[in-house]
């Protein structure tokens, strides 16, 4: 409601929002209420202002579509987490910050949130993790997850997984990375025994440094990796842990 008043008074050409759970909740309502376009999960922008074209994934990341808003009104755009890297930002002037007074009629608020569930408090937010060790089907069994956990502890990293690992119930769904899981952009992403299917890559390709450990030299994960180690993860991961322990 606050944003509705601001957007109506400022009348911008484009309203950029992060593609978070919260924005996904209110942005469609806002756009529908204003009868203006909403372009979601954007990974690239070309052109500026009225000429901007937005790139967004389609069909679970199999295709990328270029979308141009039509009509004169503001266009709401949500940006995929990790799609743009902070270290690639080019400085060009300073955007003006204008404080605005908001008045909201309390009687008009029709939702009252209950206290958060216990599960939500414990849930991991991979999108904020600085380092991630992600494990795939190459790990072979749930018991072997301790190999990935030991590596994650050595790096001070969160453990994440490809979809088959979460589908098997070996790790909770909150730790799944990919088109039907989390989008992450840590400083370090270590992929252990992950082949690099497109549905996985769309969720982690924005990571700053990607290290892939896979015994198949032709695995597609090596196409996005900054460092690739071809070999058996059950030999390599413990060797890295031992090397870190030695300092
Ligand atoms: P695999 O493809 O089986 O790869 C295992 C890899 O481990 C292989 O490359 C193998 O060489 C390697 N390996 C085996 N043993 C060792 C060893 N000892 N040492 C080192 N390497 C070893 N997937 C996701 O991850 N996230 C998603 O969000 C997601 N969403 C999807 C949505 C849809 C609609 C569909 C259809 C699929 C989705 N998938 C998703 C599944 C995706 O297509 C792949 O099936 C999945 O990512 C494969 O997981 P994986 O790499 O762990 O397994």
């Amino acid at each position: 409601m606050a944003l509705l008043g601001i957007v109506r008074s400022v009348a911008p050409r484009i309203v950029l929002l992060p593609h978070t759970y919260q924005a996904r909740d209110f942005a469609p309502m806002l756009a529908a209420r204003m009868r203006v376009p909403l372009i979601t999960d954007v990974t690239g922008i070309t052109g500026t202002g009225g000429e901007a074209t937005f790139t967004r994934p389609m069909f679970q990341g199999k295709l990328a579509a270029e979308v141009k808003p039509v009509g004169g009104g503001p266009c709401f755009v949500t940006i995929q987490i990790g799609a743009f890297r902070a270290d690639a930002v080019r400085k060009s002037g300073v955007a003006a910050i204008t404080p605005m007074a908001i008045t909201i009629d309390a009687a008009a608020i029709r939702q009252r949130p209950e206290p958060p569930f216990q599960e939500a408090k414990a849930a991991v937010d991979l999108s904020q993790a600085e380092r991630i060790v992600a494990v795939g089907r190459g790990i072979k069994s749930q018991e072997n997850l301790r190999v990935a956990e030991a590596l994650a502890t050595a790096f001070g990293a969160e453990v994440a997984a490809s979809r088959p690992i979460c589908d098997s119930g070996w790790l909770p769904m909150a730790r799944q990375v990919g088109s039907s899981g989390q989008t992450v952009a840590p400083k370090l992403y270590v992929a252990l025994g992950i082949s690099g299917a497109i549905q996985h890559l769309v969720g982690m390709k924005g990571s700053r440094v990607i290290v892939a450990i896979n015994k198949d030299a032709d695995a597609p994960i090596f196409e996005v990796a900054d460092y690739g180690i071809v070999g058996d993860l059950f030999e390599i991961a413990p060797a890295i842990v031992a090397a870190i322990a030695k300092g």
Side-chain angles (χ1 to χ4, degrees), residues 50-218:
E51 294 308 310
T53 302
F54 302 92
T55 309
R56 66 180 303 274
M58 290 178 75
F59 303 114
Q60 300 285 352
K62 282 203 167 71
L63 294 178
E66 296 211 318
V67 186
K68 205 169 183 155
V70 289
C75 168
F76 287 89
V77 173
T78 69
I79 305 286
Q80 190 181 98
I81 308 283
F84 295 91
R85 288 165 57 156
D87 59 354
V89 167
R90 268 179 291 138
K91 282 192 182 161
S92 63
V94 180
I97 299 174
T98 313
M100 305 201 70
I102 304 293
T103 324
I104 298 174
D105 176 9
I109 300 172
R110 293 184 293 169
Q111 290 181 359
R112 219 166 293 280
E114 296 291 326
F117 291 105
Q118 194 62 37
E119 289 88 340
K121 272 189 205 158
V124 59
D125 184 2
L126 289 180
S127 68
Q128 300 304 313
E130 286 216 339
R131 290 175 286 268
I132 290 178
V133 170
V135 62
R137 206 144 43 182
I139 201 76
K140 297 194 173 60
S141 74
Q142 189 170 16
E143 300 77 66
N144 290 342
L145 282 177
R146 57 190 160 70
V147 176
E149 283 158 359
L151 189 61
T153 306
F155 280 133
E158 289 286 351
V159 175
S162 65
R163 180 167 162 172
I165 302 301
C166 299
D167 280 352
S168 308
W170 295 357
L171 283 173
M173 295 301 291
R175 292 194 183 264
Q176 179 181 317
V177 170
S179 60
S180 49
Q182 302 289 314
T183 302
V184 298
K187 287 183 179 160
L188 174 69
Y189 189 92
V190 182
L192 276 184
I194 292 179
S195 59
I198 183 68
Q199 294 89 354
H200 188 82
L201 298 187
V202 294
M204 47 64 76
K205 62 180 170 25
S207 307
R208 198 177 302 173
V209 175
I210 299 172
V211 179
I213 303 172
N214 197 305
K215 66 179 185 185
D216 174 7
D218 295 325

Side-chain angles (χ1 to χ4, degrees), residues 146-155 213 233-247:
R146 57 190 160 70
V147 176
E149 283 158 359
L151 189 61
T153 306
F155 280 133
I213 303 172
L233 72 89
F234 296 104
E235 289 170 17
I236 293 156
I240 295 173
V241 173
I244 291 172
K246 264 193 206 160

